[in-house]
Amino acid sequence: DAKTTQPPSMDCAEGRAANLPCNHSTISGNEYVYWYRQIHSQGPQYIIHGLKNNETNEMASLIITEDRKSSTLILPHATLRDTAVYYCIVRATSGGSNYKLTFGKGTLLTVNP
Amino acid sequence: DAGITQSPRHKVTETGTPVTLRCHQTENHRYMYWYRQDPGHGLRLIHYSYGVKDTDKGEVSDGYSVSRSKTEDFLLTLESATSSQTSVYFCAISESRVAEEVLAKNIQYFGAGTRLSVL
């Protein structure tokens, strides 16, 4: 699985868009980008995933650069409840017997009132 | 929490006693997982199951055993608890449908966690 790099922390004002970057410069053609988050004392929560096209769901948007070496998770209108650690994970489509999701250190997003 | 119930949510036990944690799902998902989360280590996979009575070891399986006699239940047992097993334990599930097999294992839904303290 490709290595990812995320800033350790970010701040965002409530109601504004939160843009969380992730660098995955060694990503290969068969690897998807996944985003999860973990709110304090809760289990991780799947947010969104993508291969090369931009994706949007009810929680967020995922923008992947054309060369696929980086991506940005966008929370369009951040609320206080979006304060969490956000994890960017890159995984191959052919996982074989590798079932383990590897969560790095992620980005602590703090949404301020 | 995607139809996942972990029980108990909190437990305090003594070293040397057996402990069983239960994960119950109502989603009829094929895959189930047990992770532990500790400061400085992130989430680590203990065991996983890819079907009824089909289980395998993860990266930190020593001291743990699992059983899955029904699709909906995945049990994690600490045969003789040690202080190093004090942790927060998370169960996760994922679906497997033929057309989405390659994605199934990577989209996991987690339970609320069990906080275990071994004294």
Side-chain angles (χ1 to χ4, degrees):
Chain A
D1 298 336
K3 179 181 169 61
T4 62
T5 303
Q6 299 177 251
S9 64
M10 295 182 66
D11 286 321
C12 177
E14 188 177 20
R16 303 297 293 270
N19 298 283
L20 294 101
C22 179
N23 182 285
H24 32 78
S25 58
T26 61
I27 194 170
S28 56
N30 68 344
E31 290 183 315
Y32 278 73
V33 180
Y34 300 82
W35 282 84
Y36 282 77
R37 74 179 183 183
Q38 188 170 21
I39 297 169
H40 182 62
S41 298
Q42 297 184 21
Q45 179 186 23
Y46 163 77
I47 301 173
I48 199 168
H49 72 276
L51 183 62
K52 52 185 177 181
N53 297 321
N54 298 337
E55 302 287 345
T56 295
N57 63 20
E58 65 279 3
M59 288 184 68
S61 295
L62 174 60
I63 309 297
I64 302 174
T65 57
E66 191 169 342
D67 63 7
R68 304 209 324 122
K69 293 184 177 182
S70 65
S71 61
T72 301
L73 179 75
I74 301 173
L75 308 179
H77 305 287
T79 71
L80 299 179
R81 287 176 292 183
D82 291 322
T83 293
V85 178
Y86 287 78
Y87 299 97
C88 170
I89 300 170
V90 172
R91 291 267 295 179
T93 54
S94 55
S97 62
N98 181 4
Y99 291 80
K100 178 173 65 76
L101 276 180
T102 300
F103 290 79
K105 296 189 186 305
T107 297
L108 172 60
L109 174 69
T110 302
V111 181
N112 301 304
Chain B
D1 291 321
I4 306 168
T5 303
Q6 290 188 233
S7 58
R9 292 293 316 280
H10 302 272
K11 186 169 182 67
V12 179
T13 191
E14 294 184 350
T15 298
T17 60
V19 176
T20 294
L21 308 183
R22 180 182 185 233
C23 178
H24 178 79
Q25 60 145 328
T26 58
E27 306 295 326
N28 200 36
H29 281 11
R30 176 184 176 187
Y31 297 105
M32 298 186 75
Y33 315 79
W34 277 108
Y35 290 85
R36 60 178 288 175
Q37 187 171 35
D38 306 287
H41 290 279
L43 275 150
R44 293 182 289 176
L45 183 65
I46 305 171
H47 282 278
Y48 63 91
S49 169
Y50 46 97
V52 174
K53 297 187 179 179
D54 291 324
T55 65
D56 207 345
K57 297 178 180 180
E59 63 182 315
V60 289
S61 59
D62 287 347
Y64 301 94
S65 62
V66 289
S67 66
R68 190 163 177 207
S69 58
K70 298 184 290 185
T71 298
E72 58 265 36
D73 289 325
F74 192 32
L75 304 180
L76 177 71
T77 297
L78 291 64
E79 301 291 347
S80 178
T82 68
S83 58
S84 65
Q85 294 175 311
T86 292
S87 186
V88 180
Y89 291 85
F90 290 103
C91 172
I93 65 174
S94 61
E95 178 58 284
S96 171
R97 292 176 292 229
V98 174
E100 299 179 2
E101 177 71 29
V102 294
L103 294 177
K105 290 176 253 183
N106 299 336
I107 299 175
Q108 297 182 15
Y109 299 96
F110 287 77
T114 294
R115 188 172 296 274
L116 176 67
S117 296
V118 183
L119 305 179

